[in-house]
Amino acid sequence: MKHLTRRRILAAAPAVLAFGGPLLSARPARAAKKYGPGVTDTTIKIGNTCFYSGPASSYGTIGRAMAAYYKMVNEQGGVNGRKIEFISYDDAYSPPKTVEMTRKMVEEDHVLLDAGPLGTPTNSAIWHYMNQNKVPQLFVSTGASKWDDPKGHPWTIGWQPNYHGEGIIYANYILKQKPDAKIGVLYQDDDFGKDYLRGITDRVGTKGPAKVALAASYETTDATVDSQIIAIKAAGCDAFVNTAIPKFAAQAIKKAAQIEWKPIHVLSSIGQSVAVTLKPAGLENSVGIVTDFYLKDPTDPQWKDDAGYKWWVAFMGKYYPNGDKTDVNNVYGPSNAATVVQVLKQCGDELTRENVMRQAANLHNFQVPMLLPGITINTTPTDFAPVKQVRMARFSGQRWELFGPLLTGEIG
Amino acid sequence: MQLFLQQVLAGLANGAIYAGMALALVMIFLAIDHLNFAQGEMATFSTFIAWQLLAWGCPYWITFVLVVAISFVGGIAIERVLFKPLHNADILANLVAFIALFSILNSADGYIWDYTIKTFPTPFGSKPLFGSVLIDAHEAGMLVVTAVLLGLLYLFFSGTRLGLAMRAAAHNPVSARLVGIRVGWMTALGWGIAAAIGAVSGMLIAPVVFLDPNMMFGVLLYGFAGAVLGGMTSPGGAVLGGFAVGVIENMAGTFVPYVGRDLKLTIALLVIVAVLMVRPAGIFGRTTVSRV
């Protein structure tokens, strides 16, 4: 006989009613197990959307690294004896396509949950759909602060430190160096840029002595941000928070050097890649810039004897041999997937969508190998921000060097 | 005052970027009377070829000449293969072909060279010019090259037989054909020149904005704005229009309070709408009258 699932039992119900009988006796034995869509005694089907093509396809490796992690989990026996079936669709960073693919995975593939879908605009496009249909939108791979909204959107939960919290951390750092700093901010004129700006202004406040002297926005269609940098310098700023995407962040660093402007320069985690941002901007122009980290940077030699890093190298070697071992996205993927697996483990045999969200909001001191030492994942029914801590790092001219304690993005 | 000067010069530097693109747009418009949406992607593709040659160790100026030549031939090839068959087709068919070309080239860039940004060397160096922080050597070089390019085009169109033939073919194809000008080839030549200009502007822009498959996307919008402002039928006007858009954009962003910075593109485009309402052919454009 095939495995009994809730749906099969329901489908069989008329027959049972018609014949009275023997099948009914099977139900109490199965009562301990409660399954939602996509779950059987041997498998759990989960979905995902990622950018495997299109303008942002360099992030596509996140989805591949996630798949590699689930493959590893399956080879090691699965979650409570069930194999994970990971269905990842390409949305090409195009929100309408995300909607299409997500509906397909929910309505045709009947997945239990959507695990770590990538991108802010893409996740925004399915935000209401997932909450209306009560499908877990688990650990979305984006740093917007709006995912931490357990009341309004109880079926969506973030994962990484959010931009608003990072903005607060950057302002904290600047105020510690210079309590009367005049801060200039370069931000993208959309949700994610404004999240950063809001964090900074929330922390700096209006009373002084420090203030945000000039917040200059850019559009992704701008040719350069030279004009913005000139204006920020001219406003007399002695601190600069650079929250631009890599291309514009690099232009800003280069322009600041060219006009001989040397503020306290904070670069957001969006643009912190040495290869993608700092090298084009000029490593010599980038010395002394600070940023924040929560994952172990795979190019940082200080981790070479670290147990977590060694695990990651072995994992990459065996399950994702084509993956770039210098790309932090390949650290991100498995770390995010590990959190999904932890939730499924905690669900036990009650693999319903309701219980998935209950367990996602019930993580305590969960450790992931490639998170910085001391950072743990914690959630509660009123706290949907799993990773909250970061550490600051300063660029030496060759690499980022961590300094200072673990920080959280809270005011006060 | 320093702020004003810096913003004007930064605007001119951006303007030089837009002007190069505007010039290429006008070249094709003169030849075929349509706007080439794929112009930016053609330039990006040329720049990637240059990047590849440089990565293989080819010296800068040899690469420069080689890429301009390759782009010229490539432009002609595109016209012969893709657009000649569409010569008498509906404007919508042409439009679709432009968009197809856009997306083919953009995806090809990404497929071959991936999407991460790349640095591109400058032949002029990036030291401040004359020790001033106002403008650096590359920005100054860009202004000079744009001026030289414009001068060469002027000489070509007013002083050579081929240039005259091209103008004749564009102005009055029927009469041109009657006096023995091969109008089809003149069109192809227009494509070749536009592709070559695009290659030059791509190679000049890349050191500033960094090279990636979407490098020209925003630039094309501003370049189009510049071309419309100056006049779609006037190469000199297009260049001036490009510079004007760069400067207006920076002035609006810096000196218009509250809305200026967030809406600087909008303000630049509003200026253009205003110009078009007064002079639909653009400031330097020639008004075309067609008999109905």
Side-chain angles (χ1 to χ4, degrees):
Chain A
M1 195 185 124
K2 280 187 178 172
H3 302 289
L4 275 183
T5 66
R6 205 175 99 222
R7 276 176 51 234
R8 287 222 175 84
I9 290 172
L10 288 178
V16 172
L17 287 178
F19 295 105
L23 262 176
L24 269 177
S25 63
R27 292 183 75 184
R30 301 275 180 192
K33 295 181 181 176
K34 274 175 84 180
Y35 294 161
V39 184
T40 69
D41 278 354
T42 53
T43 57
I44 307 171
K45 207 188 269 185
I46 65 177
N48 169 273
T49 50
C50 194
F51 331 142
Y52 297 109
S53 66
S57 58
S58 60
Y59 289 97
T61 191
I62 290 180
R64 294 192 188 95
M66 285 175 173
Y69 187 84
Y70 295 123
K71 193 172 149 204
M72 181 198 78
V73 169
N74 288 342
E75 264 185 31
Q76 294 171 354
V79 181
N80 298 327
R82 294 182 186 85
K83 297 269 156 73
I84 294 174
E85 196 182 315
F86 181 62
I87 304 173
S88 183
Y89 287 118
D90 179 22
D91 66 13
Y93 196 34
S94 160
K97 223 163 168 197
T98 317
V99 174
E100 188 190 329
M101 288 302 142
T102 304
R103 292 189 61 155
K104 184 169 153 65
M105 80 171 78
V106 170
E107 293 165 24
E108 287 176 28
D109 301 326
H110 302 290
V111 297
L112 177 66
L113 55 90
D114 190 2
L118 184 65
T120 303
T122 41
N123 270 295
S124 298
I126 58 168
W127 199 22
H128 295 291
Y129 172 80
M130 298 303 261
N131 280 275
Q132 264 168 14
N133 291 283
K134 303 188 173 168
V135 184
Q137 189 181 3
L138 219 52
F139 308 132
V140 295
S141 306
T142 128
S145 57
K146 65 181 179 191
W147 314 124
D148 181 12
D149 178 23
K151 265 214 174 103
H153 295 87
W155 295 89
T156 306
I157 183 167
W159 189 74
Q160 69 199 64
N162 69 53
Y163 304 136
H164 179 258
E166 286 187 284
I168 292 171
I169 289 165
Y170 301 155
N172 272 334
Y173 171 80
I174 290 170
L175 295 185
K176 216 166 137 199
Q177 313 294 311
K178 213 169 181 356
D180 61 344
K182 288 177 80 178
I183 302 172
V185 184
L186 177 69
Y187 69 99
Q188 188 163 315
D189 197 8
D190 67 4
D191 270 6
F192 107 75
K194 285 174 183 165
D195 249 8
Y196 271 126
L197 180 61
R198 216 160 35 79
I200 297 162
T201 47
D202 283 358
R203 172 65 185 88
V204 173
T206 49
K207 293 191 195 77
K211 62 171 182 177
V212 175
L214 185 61
S217 66
Y218 68 88
E219 301 283 342
T220 46
T221 48
D222 282 359
T224 71
V225 292
D226 290 358
S227 169
Q228 284 89 330
I229 301 306
I230 292 169
I232 292 174
K233 185 196 178 193
C237 295
D238 48 20
F240 175 42
V241 186
N242 181 353
T243 69
I245 56 172
K247 171 178 169 173
F248 295 110
Q251 286 180 1
I253 293 167
K254 207 170 152 189
K255 187 69 186 175
Q258 188 222 324
I259 59 173
E260 293 167 357
W261 180 44
K262 293 190 176 64
I264 300 171
H265 191 149
V266 183
L267 182 62
S268 79
S269 52
I270 295 282
Q272 71 188 179
S273 163
V274 174
V276 177
T277 307
L278 302 187
K279 269 201 190 128
L283 295 179
E284 69 287 357
N285 297 332
S286 310
V287 176
I289 293 178
V290 298
T291 187
D292 64 314
F293 276 93
Y294 63 99
L295 292 170
K296 289 172 189 163
D297 176 357
T299 61
D300 186 342
Q302 73 164 302
W303 306 120
K304 75 179 196 312
D305 297 320
D306 177 82
Y309 176 72
K310 281 182 173 162
W311 168 82
W312 180 76
V313 170
F315 156 76
M316 287 295 287
K318 183 156 181 208
Y319 296 99
Y320 190 16
N322 302 333
D324 181 355
K325 287 196 195 63
T326 64
D327 187 346
V328 77
N329 286 323
N330 288 332
V331 176
Y332 187 100
S335 302
N336 185 296
T339 320
V340 174
V341 169
Q342 175 65 17
V343 168
L344 293 176
K345 259 185 206 153
Q346 283 181 212
C347 283
D349 284 339
E350 192 186 343
L351 284 157
T352 61
R353 287 173 172 169
E354 291 76 13
N355 196 36
V356 163
M357 285 321 290
R358 256 198 309 280
Q359 298 309 324
N362 186 32
L363 293 167
H364 299 293
N365 289 322
F366 175 58
Q367 293 184 13
V368 177
M370 284 302 275
L371 283 177
L372 289 183
I375 298 184
T376 55
I377 291 178
N378 290 285
T379 52
T380 69
T382 55
D383 171 9
F384 270 26
V387 182
K388 287 179 271 292
Q389 296 153 305
V390 298
R391 274 183 81 191
M392 299 300 285
R394 188 178 286 114
F395 192 66
S396 69
Q398 290 303 317
R399 61 190 185 85
W400 292 107
E401 286 170 354
L402 293 168
F403 67 92
L406 287 176
L407 305 168
T408 52
E410 276 148 16
I411 298 174
Chain B
M1 193 57 203
Q2 165 128 10
L3 175 64
F4 178 78
L5 264 182
Q6 263 185 334
Q7 291 290 15
V8 169
L9 284 169
L12 284 178
N14 273 2
I17 296 176
Y18 307 151
M21 196 34 58
L23 196 56
L25 282 172
V26 163
M27 286 313 303
I28 289 194
F29 187 82
L30 279 177
I32 59 172
D33 242 20
H34 295 320
L35 188 70
N36 179 7
F37 291 107
Q39 190 69 62
E41 304 314 298
M42 285 164 57
T44 309
F45 197 81
S46 300
T47 315
F48 268 114
I49 294 174
W51 182 85
Q52 190 63 67
L53 289 173
L54 289 168
W56 284 335
C58 189
Y60 186 90
W61 289 109
I62 295 178
T63 304
F64 188 90
V65 173
L66 219 56
V67 167
V68 169
I70 292 171
S71 305
F72 181 76
V73 175
I76 290 179
I78 288 176
E79 199 277 338
R80 290 283 105 175
V81 175
L82 209 60
F83 288 95
K84 187 164 182 288
L86 293 175
H87 179 58
N88 287 321
D90 193 61
I91 179 153
L92 282 177
N94 277 285
L95 205 66
V96 169
F98 284 132
I99 292 169
L101 187 60
F102 175 100
S103 113
I104 289 168
L105 287 176
N106 186 284
S107 306
D109 289 342
Y111 183 76
I112 304 172
W113 292 288
D114 83 50
Y115 288 89
T116 52
I117 61 173
K118 297 181 167 46
T119 44
F120 195 87
T122 158
F124 309 109
S126 52
K127 294 265 175 334
L129 193 67
F130 312 126
S132 151
V133 297
L134 288 175
I135 187 167
D136 71 21
H138 181 79
E139 289 168 348
M142 231 157 46
L143 296 178
V144 172
V145 171
T146 309
V148 169
L149 210 56
L150 193 60
L152 286 177
L153 277 179
Y154 177 78
L155 288 179
F156 174 72
F157 279 114
S158 61
T160 66
R161 283 184 66 89
L162 195 57
L164 278 174
M166 274 185 72
R167 279 167 61 192
H171 277 251
N172 194 337
V174 179
S175 308
R177 192 167 287 122
L178 289 177
V179 295
I181 295 170
R182 298 174 70 180
V183 173
W185 273 102
M186 293 301 119
T187 307
L189 207 56
W191 272 84
I193 294 176
I197 294 173
V200 172
S201 71
M203 285 185 279
L204 287 177
I205 294 168
V208 183
V209 303
F210 302 119
L211 178 59
D212 74 293
N214 301 311
M215 172 175 85
M216 286 293 192
F217 183 72
V219 174
L220 185 74
L221 283 180
Y222 285 97
F224 176 55
V228 171
L229 180 62
M232 284 302 291
T233 50
S234 158
V239 168
L240 272 178
F243 281 118
V245 170
V247 174
I248 294 169
E249 174 201 27
N250 274 9
M251 292 295 108
T254 313
F255 298 111
V256 177
Y258 306 114
V259 294
R261 202 170 308 283
D262 288 345
L263 298 180
K264 60 180 193 157
L265 174 60
T266 318
I267 290 173
L269 295 177
L270 271 179
V271 170
I272 291 152
V273 172
V275 169
L276 288 184
M277 281 163 68
V278 183
R279 260 191 79 88
I283 296 176
F284 300 96
R286 116 188 92 80
T287 320
T288 39
V289 183
S290 48
R291 202 176 296 164
V292 250

